[in-house]
Amino acid sequence: MSFQNLDLNLLRVFDAVMTEQNLTRAANSLAMTQPAVSNALKRLRDALDDDLLIRTAHGVRATPRAETLWPPIRQALASLQNAIAPDLFELSKVQITFRMAMADSTAVLFLPPLVRSIEREAPGIRVQMVPLTTREPRPMLIRSEIDLAIGYFPGVLAQIAGAQGPVTSKIRHQRLYSGKYVCVMRKNHPLADQDLTLDAYCAAHHLHVSFSGRAHGLVDDALANLERERTVLLTVNQYFTAGKVIANSDLITVLPFHLIAATGMAEALVWKRLPFNLPDINVDMLWHERDTQSMAHKWIREQMISLVETSGSGTGTKSEVDRR
């Protein structure tokens, strides 16, 4: 296959199908018929001598060659569009799907206002949520499996900050907010009406929230440094589950202050400052540099920043804990 003979319009079709993972949705986003999309894919398959996309019961599945080709093709198309028609971006006419990875608790805070913004300003944008089961989302961003990752990624940020020269990271990031950890219990808990001392905290029975399922975490490390320990009776992997259990038992737990609302039980809970120090929890937004100049991608990132500023998350919640 000679690159000089390749119809570059086929790459636009390829990018749309890879993004949507569905021929019908890709055709709609391109203002084409589905047979026309199918024909374009056939021509690209013939040119590249690879199946590229294989039909499944739920859409299409990319071949390894397609997975390798998509990131540079997507980046090149975004760069061309920005160079040729930077002022022709019309948000109301954009047809695109964004894949976002974040924990359920974070999604509870972000998605309702984000949906309202999309309905009001960009009705052609769709969002697919992908489970965030790791503190290392960079491989998913590099492979274009997701467009944005939002969460607590201390190891990733440390490595990005330390990257220099030829190994400079292609992952970009934006701090959304910082928060404090607090101790949470039901309103009528025996410790609810008294100062929370270290002795009282260690003597209580605990619930531990762990996405990995490990029954040892940041709190246990902090207590070990003080030569103390706690008794963890229950480990769960969702803040919603944690809220339900805490509101209906004598267990206590540690949660980020800004995520108490995500438990769905905020009115039945009280929080207290911890009797030991834990580092702040920083929530960051990560994306790949290939999407930096995309106007649609830029809009979705700006929405995330605006939602934090409007809701008062971050410095406001951190200051509230500090004042108490």
Side-chain angles (χ1 to χ4, degrees):
M1 188 273 296
S2 170
F3 180 77
Q4 292 180 338
N5 297 327
L6 178 65
D7 183 351
L8 298 184
N9 285 319
L10 302 181
L11 300 183
R12 292 183 59 246
V13 174
F14 172 72
D15 176 61
V17 177
M18 287 291 288
T19 298
E20 299 295 347
Q21 298 291 297
N22 180 280
L23 295 186
T24 301
R25 290 197 299 267
N28 290 337
S29 70
L30 293 167
M32 297 171 61
T33 65
Q34 183 172 328
V37 169
S38 297
N39 181 60
L41 284 177
K42 181 180 184 304
R43 291 170 58 198
L44 188 60
R45 288 188 181 105
D46 292 341
L48 300 179
D49 192 25
D50 189 271
D51 287 335
L52 297 177
L53 295 147
I54 301 170
R55 288 182 180 272
T56 69
H58 304 289
V60 293
R61 173 175 55 83
T63 66
R65 179 86 187 279
E67 295 283 5
T68 301
L69 288 172
W70 189 32
I73 287 175
R74 192 180 193 194
Q75 183 174 6
L77 290 173
S79 298
L80 283 172
Q81 180 177 351
N82 189 59
I84 294 172
D87 300 324
L88 297 182
F89 175 72
E90 293 186 58
L91 181 60
S92 63
K93 296 182 179 179
V94 168
Q95 298 286 330
I96 192 171
T97 297
F98 285 105
R99 294 187 181 88
M100 302 171 62
M102 64 181 82
D104 289 347
S105 53
T106 308
V108 167
L109 302 180
F110 278 115
L111 292 188
L114 176 61
V115 168
R116 289 194 292 270
S117 293
I118 290 174
E119 290 180 327
R120 182 175 61 251
E121 301 179 41
I125 287 180
R126 294 171 296 281
V127 175
Q128 289 183 4
M129 297 304 301
V130 176
L132 182 63
T133 58
T134 175
R135 298 291 188 195
E136 177 48 287
R138 285 178 292 182
M140 299 171 71
L141 289 165
I142 292 170
R143 294 192 298 264
S144 293
E145 294 173 0
I146 58 174
D147 302 290
L148 280 175
I150 296 176
Y152 178 50
F153 310 117
V156 173
L157 271 292
Q159 290 184 18
I160 290 176
Q164 297 179 357
V167 295
T168 299
S169 174
K170 293 185 180 297
I171 303 301
R172 301 292 176 255
H173 63 93
Q174 169 78 44
R175 175 65 43 81
L176 292 179
Y177 56 85
S178 296
K180 292 280 191 181
Y181 286 103
V182 295
C183 181
V184 179
M185 62 193 72
R186 64 180 176 86
K187 281 190 173 181
N188 296 321
H189 192 281
L191 298 177
D193 295 325
Q194 57 184 277
D195 291 337
L196 185 62
T197 66
L198 183 59
D199 286 341
Y201 178 86
C202 293
H205 288 162
H206 296 257
L207 177 147
H208 175 53
V209 182
S210 170
F211 297 125
S212 67
R214 293 180 61 245
H216 184 96
L218 194 65
V219 170
D220 303 287
D221 292 336
L223 291 175
N225 289 334
L226 299 174
E227 298 183 345
R228 304 296 294 268
E229 61 182 5
R230 62 175 179 166
T231 301
V232 176
L233 293 190
L234 177 65
T235 299
V236 301
N237 62 359
Q238 292 183 340
Y239 288 115
F240 180 78
T241 302
K244 286 287 189 181
V245 174
I246 293 299
N248 293 282
S249 73
D250 280 339
L251 299 184
I252 65 176
T253 192
V254 172
L255 299 178
F257 175 80
H258 61 274
L259 292 184
I260 293 177
T263 66
M265 301 296 294
E267 294 183 358
L269 304 174
V270 297
W271 63 270
K272 292 181 173 293
R273 293 185 64 178
L274 290 166
F276 51 89
N277 293 323
L278 286 181
D280 292 344
I281 179 169
N282 300 315
V283 176
D284 292 279
M285 176 170 58
L286 307 182
W287 69 95
H288 197 280
E289 67 173 12
R290 65 174 165 265
D291 294 316
T292 297
Q293 299 305 318
S294 165
M295 297 301 292
H297 202 286
K298 188 178 298 184
W299 181 82
I300 205 84
R301 298 196 306 268
E302 290 173 349
Q303 290 305 301
M304 292 300 164
I305 297 169
S306 177
L307 293 178
V308 171
E309 295 173 347
T310 301
S311 67
S313 298
T315 56
T317 58
K318 182 177 175 182
S319 298
E320 185 174 344
V321 174
D322 289 338
R323 288 195 304 268
R324 184 155 168 173

